């Protein structure tokens, strides 16, 4: 087995909470090592509290989902249908598959017990009957590490029957996906876990909190989110909420990739830094002699920012803002204010060594490949967008392609069962809107890609 | 020809089904075990899986044909997946793929003439900070350069004996 490499260059601006021990060379994935570092103490503490008090800590902590939507975890739990009398299920979404994202990989490969402890605390707080970890197929070693960690935790009484000597019992099952992006969508994931094609379900009525796995109330939380539960309960919800900034509490692991000198994962206090800090200071900036072309702020489905653009207006608090990309706060709300989203925390930096049409063609190929095929607008539209941008990169771009692409995107978003419709439309809509001149120029040049050093399609 | 499950596969299946509240949920894990053992999932194997979880064979096939990782045909001895998605592409992922292909004199999604490898593109492998990356079977290789790819290919040529290429080399999902 090839161990996940440890990072030795932890940036001084980082505030490591979730990844506190992950890159310590002497830290391993055994339960003994975790316990030596104070592990499972929070679960023991939680078991002395009433489940609703544990839930209250998570509410007060204001933990927002780290998987993409940024929805408050405590609120998600509150929606659970407890009157139905059906068993409650907890699913950890470990399908980490939004292009640009590689943070959950670090947690699962380097500190699996933190996730397990978070899951058991969440399970106790919600009276979960059984918990699952849905891990993507492309992390086979991660699945083995998790299974082994669960086995060890079970032997110590932290998972399974009568955990920590309490009356509460809950087991965790590791389930492996099979390379389908759509399984990161919670209702698609649930279908997949039921042994079916991962066709997302329509909401309403199929909100997992009411009609989830086997039509039972179900919580689906991301890996990083569940780890934050440990810290919220350990330090108390109110104390936890002091970390970060209002409505953006805690830390967040940002995945930085693309054309930067020091790509990698960086855990930062929410809202205390900007995209400029991440890209230029922490990430080492662009490669020598290169200019910034674009920033994709929250996974490849988030709307793109063009270098040099400014975001002006009044935020919800009535405060005026006038930001360059570099000024946008690195938290949940900042990128939304700037017309995009933080998504899964995946920042992809693109410099001027590549053509923007090629970048979109690469992204469109991804979303066309990953459409589940259930809804016509997404199945057909994602393929059309892929074909058009591919053709544009092969030297056959037409001026009318710009409006055609925009029109296809507009006809997908909002017309599908799940958010894959938006995920595939937003890149095209935003690229075409922000780089209209570059797309038109491509039509004028009629140039095929591939002359440069780097191919994207 | 009927599918004859090995004893380890029978044992695994017996163990994995009761983990789930409903039998059908175990399909994907059983399919993984079959593909690991056999290299692919034949129609006969799918019928066997259907019988184990008490559903129709077509319901198993729906799953096999939906998920890109499952295949109904054999592939080369080593299964190579090069990440194609943006962060890897921005850092030379396509070049990495070309290098694997040229080293084995093969084409994308095909098994090499020596039967040693099948090279495919994969979508985002969630290791974008160390782009470009590729997986060879279960192992992830990061920060790949063309030189490193050559070394990996040399190691495969050294360690994996030549064999007749699989009869139907193309995998199911392209």
């Amino acid at each position: 087995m090839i161990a996940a490499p440890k990072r030795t260059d932890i940036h001084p601006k980082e505030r490591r909470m979730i990844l506190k021990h992950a890159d310590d060379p002497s830290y391993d994935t055994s339960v003994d090592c975790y316990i030596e570092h104070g592990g499972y103490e929070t679960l023991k503490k939680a078991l002395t509290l009433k489940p609703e008090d544990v839930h209250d800590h998570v509410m007060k902590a204001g933990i927002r989902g780290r998987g993409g939507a940024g929805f408050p975890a405590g609120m998600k739990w509150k929606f659970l249908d407890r009157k139905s009398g059906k068993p409650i299920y907890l699913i950890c979404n470990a399908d980490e598959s939004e292009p640009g994202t590689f943070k959950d990989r670090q947690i699962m490969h380097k500190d699996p017990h933190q996730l397990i402890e978070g899951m058991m605390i969440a399970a106790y707080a919600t009276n979960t009957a059984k918990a699952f970890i849905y891990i993507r197929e492309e992390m086979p070693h991660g699945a083995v590490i998790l299974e082994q960690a669960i086995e060890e935790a079970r032997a110590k009484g932290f998972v399974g029957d009568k955990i920590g000597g309490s009356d509460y019992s809950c087991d965790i099952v590791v389930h492996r996906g099979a390379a389908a992006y759509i399984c990161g969508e919670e209702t698609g994931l649930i279908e997949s876990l039921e042994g079916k094609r991962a066709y997302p379900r329509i909401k309403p009525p199929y909100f997992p909190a009411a009609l989830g796995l086997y039509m039972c109330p179900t919580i689906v939380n991301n890996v990083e989110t569940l780890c934050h539960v440990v810290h919220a309960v350990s330090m108390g919800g109110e104390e936890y909420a002091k970390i970060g900034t209002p409505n953006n509490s805690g830390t967040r692991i940002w995945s930085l990739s693309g054309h930067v000198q020091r790509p990698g994962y960086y855990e930062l206090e929410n809202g205390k830094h900007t995209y400029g800090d991440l890209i230029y200071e922490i990430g080492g900036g662009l490669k020598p002699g290169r200019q910034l072309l674009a920033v994709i702020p929250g996974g490849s489905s988030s709307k793109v920012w063009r270098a040099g653009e400014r975001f002006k207006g009044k935020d919800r608090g009535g405060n005026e803002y006038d930001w360059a990309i570099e000024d946008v706060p690195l938290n949940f709300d900042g990128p939304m204010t700037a017309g995009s989203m933080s998504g899964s925390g995946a920042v992809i930096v693109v410099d001027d060594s590549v053509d923007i049409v090629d970048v979109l063609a690469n992204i469109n190929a991804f979303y066309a490949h990953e459409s589940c095929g259930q809804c016509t607008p997404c199945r057909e539209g994602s393929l059309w967008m892929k074909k058009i941008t591919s053709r544009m990169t092969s030297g056959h771009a037409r001026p009318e392609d710009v409006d055609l692409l925009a029109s296809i995107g507009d006809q997908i978003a909002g017309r599908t069962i799940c958010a894959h419709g938006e995920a595939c439309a937003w890149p095209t809509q935003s690229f075409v809107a922000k780089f209209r001149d570059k797309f038109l120029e491509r039509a004028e040049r009629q140039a095929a890609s591939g002359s440069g050093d780097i191919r994207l399609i | 020809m009927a599918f004859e499950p090995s004893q380890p596969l029978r044992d695994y299946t017996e163990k994995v089904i009761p983990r789930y509240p409903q039998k059908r949920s175990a399909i994907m894990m059983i399919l993984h075990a079959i593909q690991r053992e056999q290299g692919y999932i034949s129609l006969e194997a799918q019928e066997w899986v259907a019988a184990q979880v008490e559903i129709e064979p077509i319901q198993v096939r729906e799953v096999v044909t939906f998920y890109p990782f499952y295949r109904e045909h054999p592939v080369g001895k080593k299964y190579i997946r090069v990440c194609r998605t943006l962060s890897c592409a921005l850092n030379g992922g396509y070049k990495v793929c070309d290098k694997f292909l040229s080293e084995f004199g093969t084409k994308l999604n095909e098994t090499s003439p020596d039967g040693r490898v099948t090279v495919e593109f994969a979508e985002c492998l969630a290791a974008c900070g160390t782009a470009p990356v590729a997986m060879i079977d279960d192992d992830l290789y990061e920060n790949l350069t063309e030189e490193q790819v050559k070394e990996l290919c040399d190691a495969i040529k050294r360690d994996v004996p030549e064999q007749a290429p699989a009869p139907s080399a193309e995998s199911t999902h392209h």
Side-chain angles (χ1 to χ4, degrees):
Chain A
M1 189 185 293
I2 296 173
K6 301 259 181 183
R7 250 195 116 108
T8 49
D9 54 342
I10 296 168
H11 197 274
K13 288 227 160 149
E14 284 192 69
R15 173 161 180 181
R16 288 203 166 191
M17 196 156 81
I18 303 300
L19 296 178
K20 187 171 179 194
H21 304 300
D23 286 320
D24 178 347
S26 64
Y27 191 79
D28 63 38
T29 57
S30 69
V31 71
D32 292 332
C33 181
Y34 188 63
I35 290 171
E36 254 170 55
H37 289 75
Y40 290 112
E41 286 304 317
T42 310
L43 175 61
K44 287 185 201 162
K45 174 188 165 185
L47 291 168
T48 65
L49 305 173
K50 283 192 231 147
E52 50 271 33
D53 294 338
V54 178
H55 189 169
D56 198 46
H57 279 301
V58 175
M59 287 294 283
K60 287 198 175 120
I63 299 172
R64 290 174 68 172
R66 264 68 172 173
F71 191 80
M75 200 72 88
K76 217 176 201 182
W77 300 2
K78 211 160 219 169
F79 291 151
L80 273 175
D81 178 6
R82 294 161 182 279
K83 295 193 188 112
S84 68
K86 295 183 199 168
I88 292 168
Y89 295 112
L90 169 71
I91 303 171
C92 168
N93 185 344
D95 194 58
E96 180 160 72
S97 47
E98 180 66 23
T101 322
F102 48 96
K103 63 188 179 67
D104 296 338
R105 171 189 284 280
Q106 315 308 328
I107 298 169
M108 292 187 287
H109 284 79
K110 297 172 184 170
D111 201 0
H113 285 285
Q114 185 180 191
L115 171 60
I116 294 166
E117 183 171 16
M119 286 184 72
M120 293 315 294
I121 296 168
Y124 173 72
T126 54
N127 197 26
T128 287
K130 192 155 211 166
F132 299 88
I133 300 175
Y134 189 108
I135 182 168
R136 62 179 306 191
E137 176 277 321
E138 296 90 332
M139 297 182 188
H141 296 317
V144 172
I145 289 168
L146 285 168
E147 278 187 348
Q148 199 176 334
I150 291 166
E151 200 58 55
E152 287 181 17
R154 197 183 284 122
K156 297 265 184 197
F158 297 126
V159 171
D161 288 336
K162 303 204 177 298
I163 56 168
S166 72
D167 287 336
Y168 178 66
S169 301
C170 180
D171 212 344
I172 304 177
V173 177
V174 176
H175 186 90
R176 297 184 59 204
Y181 168 77
I182 201 64
C183 294
E185 198 281 339
E186 59 180 8
T187 61
L189 185 157
I190 287 169
E191 285 282 308
S192 179
L193 191 46
E194 290 185 1
K196 301 170 190 164
R197 289 185 163 198
Y199 287 149
R201 298 170 177 173
I202 196 157
K203 306 183 215 178
Y206 299 110
F207 290 107
L211 300 169
L213 186 64
Y214 314 122
M215 291 297 141
C216 296
T218 303
I219 297 165
V220 186
N221 281 148
N222 165 264
V223 172
E224 188 188 353
T225 311
L226 286 162
C227 291
H228 278 283
V229 169
V230 181
H231 300 271
V233 175
S234 168
M235 62 180 76
E238 276 157 16
E239 277 305 303
Y240 175 99
K242 289 178 189 162
I243 304 167
T245 46
N247 202 35
N248 294 270
S249 61
T251 61
R252 215 174 157 184
I253 309 168
W254 296 86
S255 306
L256 178 66
S257 69
H259 289 148
V260 286
Q261 304 246 38
R262 280 199 302 272
Y265 46 91
Y266 299 99
E267 184 171 357
L268 299 167
E269 206 171 336
N270 249 327
K272 294 284 173 81
H273 309 276
T274 62
Y275 274 80
D277 296 338
L278 178 67
I279 295 167
Y280 291 99
E281 195 188 332
I282 298 165
L286 302 176
K287 296 182 178 162
R290 288 293 166 198
Q291 299 284 316
L292 185 68
L293 181 64
V295 174
I296 300 171
S300 71
S301 63
S302 63
K303 291 180 181 168
V304 69
W305 290 333
R306 180 171 181 164
E309 77 170 301
R310 292 199 81 85
F311 312 100
K312 291 180 195 177
K314 272 188 187 170
D315 66 15
R316 274 183 287 183
N319 306 308
E320 280 194 33
Y321 61 89
D322 179 4
W323 294 332
I325 292 175
E326 291 75 14
D327 305 322
V328 178
L330 209 48
N331 60 8
F332 290 96
D333 294 336
M336 274 165 80
T337 306
S340 190
M341 63 174 180
S342 65
S344 53
V347 181
I348 305 174
V349 177
V350 182
D351 72 24
D352 63 350
S353 64
V354 294
D355 187 293
I356 202 71
V357 180
D358 291 26
V359 176
L360 181 62
N362 179 286
I363 295 173
N364 283 350
F366 176 84
Y367 290 99
H369 184 265
E370 301 299 340
S371 171
C372 82
Q374 206 180 188
C375 309
T376 312
C378 168
R379 182 188 63 239
E380 301 301 318
S382 63
L383 202 60
W384 282 28
M385 295 188 298
K386 173 197 160 168
K387 284 181 177 171
I388 293 167
T389 43
S390 280
R391 171 171 53 69
M392 292 181 81
T393 62
S394 65
H396 302 283
R398 303 180 305 215
E400 58 267 33
D401 285 335
V402 182
D403 292 326
L404 180 58
L405 280 170
S407 140
I408 297 167
D410 293 348
Q411 291 177 74
I412 303 170
R415 290 176 165 85
T416 55
I417 287 173
C418 85
H420 193 89
E422 283 74 27
C424 75
W426 283 341
T428 291
Q429 289 173 316
S430 61
F431 273 73
V432 166
K434 295 199 172 168
F435 293 93
R436 191 178 174 87
D437 55 325
K438 299 273 183 195
F439 278 73
L440 288 170
E441 187 192 294
R442 190 73 188 242
E444 244 166 60
R445 276 193 292 134
Q446 288 289 344
S449 310
S451 49
D453 201 32
I454 291 289
R455 259 170 72 211
L456 300 185
I457 190 74
Chain B
M1 200 175 66
F3 176 68
E4 277 302 327
S6 68
Q7 197 53 46
L9 180 61
R10 281 180 198 278
D11 294 344
Y12 177 76
T13 305
E14 257 174 50
K15 197 177 73 179
V16 80
I17 291 177
R19 285 185 195 166
Y20 295 93
Q22 293 186 10
K23 287 185 171 187
R24 184 174 180 172
S25 284
I27 290 181
M28 291 180 76
M29 296 300 273
I30 301 172
L31 292 175
H32 277 304
I34 292 174
Q35 186 161 293
R36 182 166 287 267
E37 200 180 273
Q38 311 271 319
Y40 69 106
I41 306 159
S42 67
L43 292 180
E44 292 77 12
Q46 295 177 36
E47 282 176 23
W48 182 81
V49 173
Q52 305 311 302
V53 299
E54 295 166 15
I55 58 173
E56 294 301 322
I58 188 65
Q59 294 173 304
V60 176
R61 194 153 194 228
E62 278 178 359
V63 170
V64 172
T65 54
F66 180 83
Y67 295 91
F69 183 65
Y70 297 133
R71 48 185 181 255
E72 293 184 313
H73 302 286
V75 288
K77 203 79 188 149
K78 292 276 176 186
Y79 182 49
I80 301 174
R81 286 186 278 179
V82 182
C83 181
R84 188 209 65 83
T85 320
L86 190 57
S87 302
C88 279
L90 289 172
N91 287 289
Y94 274 76
K95 252 189 201 168
V96 165
C97 189
D98 287 345
K99 186 69 180 166
F100 274 114
L101 294 174
S102 70
E103 280 296 313
F104 287 98
T106 185
K107 289 185 187 140
L108 200 60
N109 305 326
E110 286 183 12
T111 297
S112 58
D114 61 11
R116 285 187 174 109
V117 299
T118 298
V119 183
E120 293 181 359
F121 264 136
E123 295 298 345
C124 191
L125 295 174
C128 323
T130 45
V133 301
M135 283 179 84
I136 303 178
D137 295 332
D138 283 354
D139 296 329
L140 179 73
Y141 295 90
E142 302 171 274
N143 292 313
L144 285 172
T145 61
E146 284 176 276
E147 293 70 41
Q148 281 166 304
V149 172
K150 171 133 194 357
E151 282 167 28
L152 289 170
C153 293
D154 288 345
I156 292 172
K157 287 174 194 170
R158 194 180 59 230
D159 301 339
V160 180
E162 258 186 78
Q163 56 175 22
S168 174
E170 198 162 331
S171 63
T172 17
H173 294 274
H174 294 278

